Amino acid sequence: MRRSIIALGIIVGAAGLSACSDNAREQTEEAGNAIASDIENAGNNAAARTDAALDRAANRIDEAANNAAIAAKNAKRAAGQSLENAGEALQK
C-alpha cells in the first residue's frame, strides 16, 4: 500500500511538473514573440526616422544648390554690368 501511495505521489508530481512546464513554455514563447515584435517595431521606427532625415537633408541640399545657382547668376549679371560700366568709362 505504501508503495502505491508513493507511486501515486510521483505520478501526481510529474503531472504537476508537466503542466507547469507547458505553462512556462507558453509564457516563454509569448515573451519571445513580444520581444521580437518590439525589435521589429524599433527597427521600423529607426528606418522611418532615417528616411525622413535623409529626405530633409536632400531637400536642404537642393535648396542650397538652387541658392548657389541664383547667386552665381546674380554674380555673372553684376560682373557683366561692371564690365559694361568700365567699357563706357573708357570710351569717355
Side-chain angles (χ1 to χ4, degrees):
M1 176 89 175
R2 184 171 182 207
R3 286 186 178 189
S4 297
I5 294 174
I6 292 174
L8 182 62
I10 291 173
I11 292 171
V12 170
L17 285 175
S18 176
C20 183
S21 178
D22 288 341
N23 185 24
R25 188 178 315 119
E26 287 177 19
Q27 288 180 356
T28 301
E29 185 177 333
E30 289 173 6
N33 289 339
I35 291 169
S37 178
D38 288 348
I39 290 171
E40 181 180 8
N41 289 337
N44 290 340
N45 288 339
R49 288 180 183 203
T50 300
D51 285 345
L54 290 174
D55 286 344
R56 287 192 305 271
N59 290 338
R60 288 181 180 158
I61 289 169
D62 287 344
E63 184 178 328
N66 290 337
N67 290 341
I70 291 168
K73 187 176 181 180
N74 290 340
K76 179 181 174 185
R77 186 178 303 129
Q81 186 62 47
S82 294
L83 287 174
E84 283 183 30
N85 292 343
E88 289 174 6
L90 287 174
Q91 289 179 356
K92 290 184 184 182

